[in-house]
Amino acid sequence: MTRISRLCTALGIAAAVVLGGSGCTVIAPNGPYTVNNDEGAGDPLSKPFQRMIAIPPQPGWGAEDTIRGLQAAMAAYADDPSILAGYLTPEARAKWTAAGPVTVIQDQYEVSVPPPRESETSSKVTLKGHYLALINEDDSYKPTGGPWERPFELVKLPEGYRVSALPPGLLLTESDVARAYRPTNLYYVNRSTQDRLVVDRVRLRLDTKETFAQTVLERLLEPPTEALRGAVTTSFPPGIKIESIRSGEDRVIINLSGELDTLDLSAEETLRGQIRNSLNKNEIAKGRIIEIMVDGESYTVDRPDTVDQWLDDDVRDSAYYVDKGAVHYLTKDGGGGAVAGAAGEEHEGFGHFAVSAGPNPLIAAKTSTGISVAGLAPEGAWQEVVQGADLTPPTWNRDGTLWTYDGKNGVLLKYDPARGQAEPVEVPAELDELDVNRFRIARDGVRVAVTTGENTVQIGALTGEGAGTKLGNLQLLTTTETGNEIKDIAWRDDEHLLVLAQGTAGQTLNEINVGDGETTGVPLKDRLESVAAFQDQVLADVATKGGTKLIVLSPDQQTWTTKIEKKGGAPLLPLG
């Protein structure tokens, strides 16, 4: 095949049509490119996107063109499954299924075709690329990495090459996913306290037959991803369906069908909270009245000025730091006075402090013999509440309980100040075999970050409720190279974990979205000792010759400024 004919073949493999536009864009040989589309941008319920149009295999195509066409047909499969079937032999078509995880690779991939032999009727082709992620059947996005390859066997029929066997699932490129999927936050309810919404991040495929608002709410009616199974619940009773979603000048009208208790005001408020945040946090219907109907009858109305306490952490503006074992308030101008009670007095051997939330916070500290707690009041005295020489630094849950992991005995302990005793909590069996050195509960009271060994961070969840609470759903979040060390972690918000790592080349501070692994690096100038965070506020301490200075990250996340020049160690923020 000549260069010109090969180019024409590649150009014809696929096209991206901008929905709402008047024409189509031909895909270049090196893969799809993004076409800006402003059509539909004024619709508060939709998201503009490009639709992939694939064409059937052509008789003149070689093995490489057929494989590239097959991949384009996979990208278009959700909109038109008939094209992909044409690339397969009848036997392969009968066995193949689209079910299973979606494999995502980089845009630039190689199709390796062996030299043809005379009278050969089949060809073994290998597709090689770089592995990026899996989109699981529960819509969770799991990043991965490294080289990736897949062999294909093609047979030559009178009508052209056909694939004789295809592994289950779809193979998409990074551009395919960017074009057809949207990162989406869904909101479920904390199972244990049922006073807080918990975010579940998914990748949803845009549907040409419905608005994005309907796609989001339809998925909200389904169970959460595996990461939150057993840890969250929902206000939607079984059997509820989305009948229609309409938008007016100032409102969005959602019509449900099914059985809803019109007298349960708590369930009504929770349902509004789930819908409001699942739409508005994804920039859908923001600033509009949301009217919810059931079988055409008015059920409840959510207004833009509604006070939303479903994401409230009760953290306020409280910030602290530690100097010579004494806890101090942090003010807008810098260092403040010591806190009331024993926690504000200098103590040797007290470290790894943690602060609870609420109007009457407690301070916890790790010592050589266990975990001690003191109230922030003049009469507040240190009291050892958990004993053990190999405990992780304490962490507070939003329900007021204190947690630590006993590495010597392989036991997760929960101390409830109201009960006055520490109780064991069930953990996955594999945790007993790992060196657990940090255990941090997120402010949603559900997600947990666990560091094991020197260089691995896992994310889990507190599942169940009451006496049945246990740690589960552990999944790898990140790991550093051998020889590097994770120095500290801090929850910035319910979705993002800050990970401070020390390597031979220096330090890195990464903000990682625990839902999909998206990572953003934070620039560093000084060598940090520890880090604390709450939403826009990120604090760290730096050891200097003159003492320990406390620094704060700028709102643009690019620079650090000094808050306390010296005597400003170990910053603290409630929870996290």
PDB file of all heavy atoms in Angstrom, residues 102-120:
ATOM      1  N   VAL A 102     -13.066  -1.323  31.631  1.00  0.00           N
ATOM      2  CA  VAL A 102     -12.565  -0.653  30.430  1.00  0.00           C
ATOM      3  C   VAL A 102     -11.082  -0.393  30.618  1.00  0.00           C
ATOM      4  O   VAL A 102     -10.669   0.213  31.608  1.00  0.00           O
ATOM      5  CB  VAL A 102     -13.312   0.672  30.185  1.00  0.00           C
ATOM      6  CG1 VAL A 102     -12.691   1.441  29.022  1.00  0.00           C
ATOM      7  CG2 VAL A 102     -14.787   0.416  29.930  1.00  0.00           C
ATOM      8  N   THR A 103     -10.266  -0.867  29.686  1.00  0.00           N
ATOM      9  CA  THR A 103      -8.827  -0.630  29.727  1.00  0.00           C
ATOM     10  C   THR A 103      -8.516   0.682  29.029  1.00  0.00           C
ATOM     11  O   THR A 103      -8.961   0.921  27.906  1.00  0.00           O
ATOM     12  CB  THR A 103      -8.071  -1.771  29.037  1.00  0.00           C
ATOM     13  OG1 THR A 103      -8.357  -3.002  29.710  1.00  0.00           O
ATOM     14  CG2 THR A 103      -6.572  -1.526  29.062  1.00  0.00           C
ATOM     15  N   VAL A 104      -7.736   1.556  29.696  1.00  0.00           N
ATOM     16  CA  VAL A 104      -7.396   2.864  29.140  1.00  0.00           C
ATOM     17  C   VAL A 104      -5.885   2.920  28.924  1.00  0.00           C
ATOM     18  O   VAL A 104      -5.111   2.660  29.857  1.00  0.00           O
ATOM     19  CB  VAL A 104      -7.827   4.005  30.075  1.00  0.00           C
ATOM     20  CG1 VAL A 104      -7.566   5.356  29.414  1.00  0.00           C
ATOM     21  CG2 VAL A 104      -9.298   3.869  30.448  1.00  0.00           C
ATOM     22  N   ILE A 105      -5.466   3.252  27.688  1.00  0.00           N
ATOM     23  CA  ILE A 105      -4.055   3.374  27.367  1.00  0.00           C
ATOM     24  C   ILE A 105      -3.777   4.773  26.810  1.00  0.00           C
ATOM     25  O   ILE A 105      -4.702   5.522  26.493  1.00  0.00           O
ATOM     26  CB  ILE A 105      -3.603   2.307  26.354  1.00  0.00           C
ATOM     27  CG1 ILE A 105      -4.374   2.463  25.039  1.00  0.00           C
ATOM     28  CG2 ILE A 105      -3.780   0.910  26.934  1.00  0.00           C
ATOM     29  CD1 ILE A 105      -3.869   1.545  23.927  1.00  0.00           C
ATOM     30  N   GLN A 106      -2.506   5.114  26.700  1.00  0.00           N
ATOM     31  CA  GLN A 106      -2.140   6.408  26.136  1.00  0.00           C
ATOM     32  C   GLN A 106      -2.547   6.483  24.659  1.00  0.00           C
ATOM     33  O   GLN A 106      -2.689   5.467  23.986  1.00  0.00           O
ATOM     34  CB  GLN A 106      -0.633   6.652  26.269  1.00  0.00           C
ATOM     35  CG  GLN A 106      -0.208   7.047  27.662  1.00  0.00           C
ATOM     36  CD  GLN A 106       1.269   7.407  27.731  1.00  0.00           C
ATOM     37  OE1 GLN A 106       2.049   7.099  26.818  1.00  0.00           O
ATOM     38  NE2 GLN A 106       1.666   8.049  28.809  1.00  0.00           N
ATOM     39  N   ASP A 107      -2.687   7.712  24.183  1.00  0.00           N
ATOM     40  CA  ASP A 107      -3.102   7.908  22.796  1.00  0.00           C
ATOM     41  C   ASP A 107      -2.120   7.303  21.802  1.00  0.00           C
ATOM     42  O   ASP A 107      -2.512   6.711  20.796  1.00  0.00           O
ATOM     43  CB  ASP A 107      -3.254   9.401  22.493  1.00  0.00           C
ATOM     44  CG  ASP A 107      -4.437  10.022  23.218  1.00  0.00           C
ATOM     45  OD1 ASP A 107      -5.351   9.271  23.610  1.00  0.00           O
ATOM     46  OD2 ASP A 107      -4.446  11.252  23.403  1.00  0.00           O
ATOM     47  N   GLN A 108      -0.847   7.479  22.064  1.00  0.00           N
ATOM     48  CA  GLN A 108       0.169   6.983  21.134  1.00  0.00           C
ATOM     49  C   GLN A 108       0.429   5.502  21.408  1.00  0.00           C
ATOM     50  O   GLN A 108       1.026   5.146  22.417  1.00  0.00           O
ATOM     51  CB  GLN A 108       1.459   7.784  21.307  1.00  0.00           C
ATOM     52  CG  GLN A 108       1.314   9.277  21.063  1.00  0.00           C
ATOM     53  CD  GLN A 108       0.894   9.593  19.635  1.00  0.00           C
ATOM     54  OE1 GLN A 108       1.236   8.877  18.704  1.00  0.00           O
ATOM     55  NE2 GLN A 108       0.132  10.662  19.470  1.00  0.00           N
ATOM     56  N   TYR A 109      -0.035   4.666  20.521  1.00  0.00           N
ATOM     57  CA  TYR A 109       0.226   3.233  20.659  1.00  0.00           C
ATOM     58  C   TYR A 109       0.759   2.696  19.334  1.00  0.00           C
ATOM     59  O   TYR A 109       0.615   3.304  18.273  1.00  0.00           O
ATOM     60  CB  TYR A 109      -1.018   2.477  21.108  1.00  0.00           C
ATOM     61  CG  TYR A 109      -2.185   2.527  20.149  1.00  0.00           C
ATOM     62  CD1 TYR A 109      -2.278   1.653  19.075  1.00  0.00           C
ATOM     63  CD2 TYR A 109      -3.227   3.446  20.333  1.00  0.00           C
ATOM     64  CE1 TYR A 109      -3.359   1.691  18.202  1.00  0.00           C
ATOM     65  CE2 TYR A 109      -4.305   3.497  19.475  1.00  0.00           C
ATOM     66  CZ  TYR A 109      -4.365   2.617  18.416  1.00  0.00           C
ATOM     67  OH  TYR A 109      -5.428   2.653  17.550  1.00  0.00           O
ATOM     68  N   GLU A 110       1.374   1.539  19.419  1.00  0.00           N
ATOM     69  CA  GLU A 110       2.027   0.925  18.259  1.00  0.00           C
ATOM     70  C   GLU A 110       1.319  -0.380  17.909  1.00  0.00           C
ATOM     71  O   GLU A 110       0.964  -1.160  18.791  1.00  0.00           O
ATOM     72  CB  GLU A 110       3.501   0.666  18.584  1.00  0.00           C
ATOM     73  CG  GLU A 110       4.255  -0.127  17.527  1.00  0.00           C
ATOM     74  CD  GLU A 110       5.630  -0.561  17.995  1.00  0.00           C
ATOM     75  OE1 GLU A 110       6.076  -0.087  19.054  1.00  0.00           O
ATOM     76  OE2 GLU A 110       6.243  -1.399  17.305  1.00  0.00           O
ATOM     77  N   VAL A 111       1.130  -0.596  16.619  1.00  0.00           N
ATOM     78  CA  VAL A 111       0.589  -1.870  16.135  1.00  0.00           C
ATOM     79  C   VAL A 111       1.713  -2.591  15.414  1.00  0.00           C
ATOM     80  O   VAL A 111       2.194  -2.138  14.372  1.00  0.00           O
ATOM     81  CB  VAL A 111      -0.606  -1.667  15.196  1.00  0.00           C
ATOM     82  CG1 VAL A 111      -1.136  -3.021  14.724  1.00  0.00           C
ATOM     83  CG2 VAL A 111      -1.707  -0.883  15.893  1.00  0.00           C
ATOM     84  N   SER A 112       2.164  -3.686  15.989  1.00  0.00           N
ATOM     85  CA  SER A 112       3.284  -4.442  15.441  1.00  0.00           C
ATOM     86  C   SER A 112       2.759  -5.571  14.551  1.00  0.00           C
ATOM     87  O   SER A 112       2.051  -6.472  15.030  1.00  0.00           O
ATOM     88  CB  SER A 112       4.141  -5.005  16.583  1.00  0.00           C
ATOM     89  OG  SER A 112       5.191  -5.782  16.092  1.00  0.00           O
ATOM     90  N   VAL A 113       3.097  -5.508  13.269  1.00  0.00           N
ATOM     91  CA  VAL A 113       2.625  -6.498  12.291  1.00  0.00           C
ATOM     92  C   VAL A 113       3.825  -7.213  11.695  1.00  0.00           C
ATOM     93  O   VAL A 113       4.729  -6.557  11.161  1.00  0.00           O
ATOM     94  CB  VAL A 113       1.811  -5.831  11.170  1.00  0.00           C
ATOM     95  CG1 VAL A 113       1.281  -6.878  10.197  1.00  0.00           C
ATOM     96  CG2 VAL A 113       0.671  -5.004  11.747  1.00  0.00           C
ATOM     97  N   PRO A 114       3.892  -8.553  11.767  1.00  0.00           N
ATOM     98  CA  PRO A 114       5.028  -9.271  11.175  1.00  0.00           C
ATOM     99  C   PRO A 114       4.993  -9.182   9.651  1.00  0.00           C
ATOM    100  O   PRO A 114       3.926  -8.961   9.065  1.00  0.00           O
ATOM    101  CB  PRO A 114       4.816 -10.714  11.662  1.00  0.00           C
ATOM    102  CG  PRO A 114       3.348 -10.819  11.904  1.00  0.00           C
ATOM    103  CD  PRO A 114       2.914  -9.466  12.378  1.00  0.00           C
ATOM    104  N   PRO A 115       6.148  -9.333   9.009  1.00  0.00           N
ATOM    105  CA  PRO A 115       6.170  -9.298   7.530  1.00  0.00           C
ATOM    106  C   PRO A 115       5.242 -10.362   6.953  1.00  0.00           C
ATOM    107  O   PRO A 115       5.213 -11.496   7.439  1.00  0.00           O
ATOM    108  CB  PRO A 115       7.635  -9.592   7.198  1.00  0.00           C
ATOM    109  CG  PRO A 115       8.395  -9.250   8.438  1.00  0.00           C
ATOM    110  CD  PRO A 115       7.474  -9.558   9.568  1.00  0.00           C
ATOM    111  N   PRO A 116       4.437 -10.012   5.931  1.00  0.00           N
ATOM    112  CA  PRO A 116       3.511 -10.996   5.359  1.00  0.00           C
ATOM    113  C   PRO A 116       4.243 -12.106   4.608  1.00  0.00           C
ATOM    114  O   PRO A 116       5.313 -11.897   4.043  1.00  0.00           O
ATOM    115  CB  PRO A 116       2.666 -10.140   4.406  1.00  0.00           C
ATOM    116  CG  PRO A 116       3.556  -8.993   4.046  1.00  0.00           C
ATOM    117  CD  PRO A 116       4.379  -8.712   5.257  1.00  0.00           C
ATOM    118  N   ARG A 117       3.653 -13.275   4.640  1.00  0.00           N
ATOM    119  CA  ARG A 117       4.196 -14.408   3.891  1.00  0.00           C
ATOM    120  C   ARG A 117       3.227 -14.771   2.772  1.00  0.00           C
ATOM    121  O   ARG A 117       2.012 -14.580   2.892  1.00  0.00           O
ATOM    122  CB  ARG A 117       4.404 -15.614   4.823  1.00  0.00           C
ATOM    123  CG  ARG A 117       5.436 -15.364   5.925  1.00  0.00           C
ATOM    124  CD  ARG A 117       5.571 -16.586   6.813  1.00  0.00           C
ATOM    125  NE  ARG A 117       6.531 -16.356   7.885  1.00  0.00           N
ATOM    126  CZ  ARG A 117       6.812 -17.252   8.842  1.00  0.00           C
ATOM    127  NH1 ARG A 117       6.158 -18.427   8.844  1.00  0.00           N
ATOM    128  NH2 ARG A 117       7.696 -16.978   9.780  1.00  0.00           N
ATOM    129  N   GLU A 118       3.785 -15.302   1.738  1.00  0.00           N
ATOM    130  CA  GLU A 118       2.987 -15.634   0.557  1.00  0.00           C
ATOM    131  C   GLU A 118       1.903 -16.658   0.917  1.00  0.00           C
ATOM    132  O   GLU A 118       2.152 -17.615   1.639  1.00  0.00           O
ATOM    133  CB  GLU A 118       3.889 -16.189  -0.551  1.00  0.00           C
ATOM    134  CG  GLU A 118       3.180 -16.346  -1.874  1.00  0.00           C
ATOM    135  CD  GLU A 118       4.127 -16.780  -2.969  1.00  0.00           C
ATOM    136  OE1 GLU A 118       5.350 -16.771  -2.732  1.00  0.00           O
ATOM    137  OE2 GLU A 118       3.645 -17.114  -4.047  1.00  0.00           O
ATOM    138  N   SER A 119       0.721 -16.409   0.429  1.00  0.00           N
ATOM    139  CA  SER A 119      -0.459 -17.279   0.628  1.00  0.00           C
ATOM    140  C   SER A 119      -0.856 -17.410   2.096  1.00  0.00           C
ATOM    141  O   SER A 119      -1.554 -18.351   2.470  1.00  0.00           O
ATOM    142  CB  SER A 119      -0.221 -18.676   0.027  1.00  0.00           C
ATOM    143  OG  SER A 119       0.749 -19.398   0.769  1.00  0.00           O
ATOM    144  N   GLU A 120      -0.382 -16.498   2.946  1.00  0.00           N
ATOM    145  CA  GLU A 120      -0.751 -16.548   4.368  1.00  0.00           C
ATOM    146  C   GLU A 120      -2.186 -16.075   4.547  1.00  0.00           C
ATOM    147  O   GLU A 120      -2.587 -15.038   3.998  1.00  0.00           O
ATOM    148  CB  GLU A 120       0.204 -15.673   5.173  1.00  0.00           C
ATOM    149  CG  GLU A 120       0.078 -15.867   6.677  1.00  0.00           C
ATOM    150  CD  GLU A 120       1.165 -15.101   7.428  1.00  0.00           C
ATOM    151  OE1 GLU A 120       1.376 -13.919   7.089  1.00  0.00           O
ATOM    152  OE2 GLU A 120       1.802 -15.677   8.310  1.00  0.00           O
TER     153      GLU A 120
END
